[in-house]
Amino acid sequence: MTQSAFSHIMVVDDDPDILSQVEKIFVKLGIKNYRTFLSADKALKELEESQESFDLVIVDVRMPIFSGIALVQYIKTHPEKKVRETFCVPLVGSIGREDKAILSEFSFFETVAKPIAEKAFIARLEELGEQHKNPNSDKNFQTQFNNALIDKKYKQAEDLILPRIKQDPKSLRYLTLYAELLLRAQQIKKAEEFLNKVLKIDQNHIMALNLMSKVYIKTNRFDDAMKVLEKAKVYSPHNIDRLLVIGELHLGSGEADKAEENFSSVLKLNPNDERATYGLGRALATQGKTEESKKVLANLKKGVELASFFNNKGILLVKAGKYGEGVTLYKNAIKVLDDQEREHLLLYNIALAYSKLGDSPKALDFAKKAMEKSPKEYTKPQKLLDRLQKEAKGDPTQAPKPQEVPPPASKEKYLLTGSQMDFIMGGFEEVKAPEPPTPSPAGEEEFITFGT
């Protein structure tokens, strides 16, 4: 084997004896440009920060704490092209059904056997080198196809996948990849037709189930989306992105306890996953576990995002007629955020919610608090307070309209903020021009929104 096949190699294993064996083999082969790591977090940091790209990374999938099965997923789905294009090969010995499912789900068709046997390891490196150099190899096809999808070069992706479908028209993998192309190109109906064909042949095809969930969400069939995601989770419980999406959907449906469970599952695979930490903190706060939430969120610099989520989710709840839930969320948010800069906005929205509910004493109380916390140049809380006070005094010029019975709670189960939908549909969202806000009737106060 020549050194030219791979110019920069990384091996990740928590067993120092394995790394020592690999190093001896590399020395024997004359391979000098390599790095070894005992932990996944340090390996990922090196992949992200190194100026030189690694073209082969061999990862033990059974590493604990920050698990190897998590690392291979981060590499495959990484937003940076240099990391995502790395030829990532799992190092496997005895692995469970769940990990095998992940390897299949993420198209890891190449592996390296463990324990390390010198002759077999060298032969495997040579085979992987051939895959790496061959422009028509399955590994290079998958890399090019994924990059074309991410870059929204759909014609290029089509030119890559159609010859393979023609060559192997019964391949469920290729049919599913074509369905992904259609879905990303917003050909929703056609994508659903292809996915139904795949699932008719194999009702447990995990990649097809994942994509079908996106179809269902795009067509407002959220319960159906949750069903297929939960089904995929049964067969492959360690898919991090899917666990995060299920968590967000549970937050949207008001099932914060189930959201907590899914975000916690991610943190068992990687205690440092900021997306799961952020999700867990929001799930705890939504349940009123404010002290636990504050501890979880303490090291995250996401004050703006948190305030935006709690505020906009509260507005969704109130506008859906779920006043109690909305106000409770606002109050919990104030306890968790400790955000002096935005507290007055949340207090104002609480006051306005109570006003619309017809609870004047509480509306007055929170309007006063909002005014006390507001910057002097911000006049909305003062205007709301003036109106409420005049109404309370019976001022004929400010007499309120006859109080309407609050609308019944909306039957819509999933109330998701814009940022939640962006995360759930990442890469599959349709780019739309921002819609102008719907104006409220003249003289009627509007809820204050910020962020998405």
Side-chain angles (χ1 to χ4, degrees), residues 25 111-113 115-127:
I25 294 172
T111 60
V112 173
I116 299 294
E118 183 178 310
K119 287 184 178 180
F121 185 79
I122 292 173
R124 196 75 188 99
L125 279 181
E126 290 176 347
E127 292 167 359

Side-chain angles (χ1 to χ4, degrees), residues 284-285 288-297 335-336:
L284 292 168
K289 301 176 183 178
T290 53
E291 290 306 312
E292 290 180 60
S293 176
K294 288 172 77 171
K295 288 179 182 178
V296 168
L297 297 168
K335 293 177 186 177
V336 171

Side-chain angles (χ1 to χ4, degrees), residues 200-216:
K200 189 174 181 179
I201 298 170
D202 179 3
Q203 62 180 350
N204 300 322
H205 194 283
I206 299 176
M207 289 172 62
L209 291 172
N210 289 338
L211 291 171
M212 190 61 91
S213 74
K214 306 292 185 188
V215 169
Y216 287 148

Side-chain angles (χ1 to χ4, degrees), residues 187-204:
Q187 297 183 48
I188 314 302
K189 186 176 180 180
K190 195 173 179 182
E192 184 172 1
E193 290 173 359
F194 269 84
L195 291 171
N196 278 326
K197 289 178 182 177
V198 172
L199 291 170
K200 189 174 181 179
I201 298 170
D202 179 3
Q203 62 180 350
N204 300 322

Side-chain angles (χ1 to χ4, degrees), residues 344-345 348 370-371 374-382 448:
H344 66 284
L345 303 177
Y348 174 89
M371 192 193 72
S374 296
K376 290 182 180 180
E377 65 275 9
Y378 194 74
T379 60
K380 277 192 172 186
Q382 181 65 64
I448 299 169

Side-chain angles (χ1 to χ4, degrees), residues 103-147:
L103 299 183
S104 173
E105 187 174 355
F106 281 86
S107 302
F108 286 108
F109 303 114
E110 305 293 347
T111 60
V112 173
K114 188 179 178 180
I116 299 294
E118 183 178 310
K119 287 184 178 180
F121 185 79
I122 292 173
R124 196 75 188 99
L125 279 181
E126 290 176 347
E127 292 167 359
L128 294 174
E130 291 302 314
Q131 273 265 350
H132 183 62
K133 290 186 294 183
N134 180 2
N136 297 316
S137 69
D138 190 77
K139 171 257 180 186
N140 287 322
F141 154 74
Q142 190 71 56
T143 298
Q144 293 164 17
F145 182 77
N146 289 344
N147 285 336

Side-chain angles (χ1 to χ4, degrees), residues 318 323 351-359 403-404 406 444-445 447:
V318 171
Y323 288 89
L352 187 53
Y354 276 128
S355 174
K356 291 181 179 292
L357 187 58
D359 191 334
Q403 179 62 43
E404 297 180 0
E444 183 177 324
E445 295 94 345
F447 287 99

Side-chain angles (χ1 to χ4, degrees), residues 374-406:
S374 296
K376 290 182 180 180
E377 65 275 9
Y378 194 74
T379 60
K380 277 192 172 186
Q382 181 65 64
K383 289 178 180 178
L384 176 60
L385 181 60
D386 289 345
R387 176 177 70 76
L388 292 170
Q389 287 176 333
K390 289 177 181 178
E391 288 177 0
K393 292 176 181 177
D395 186 333
T397 64
Q398 291 289 328
K401 298 175 183 178
Q403 179 62 43
E404 297 180 0
V405 177

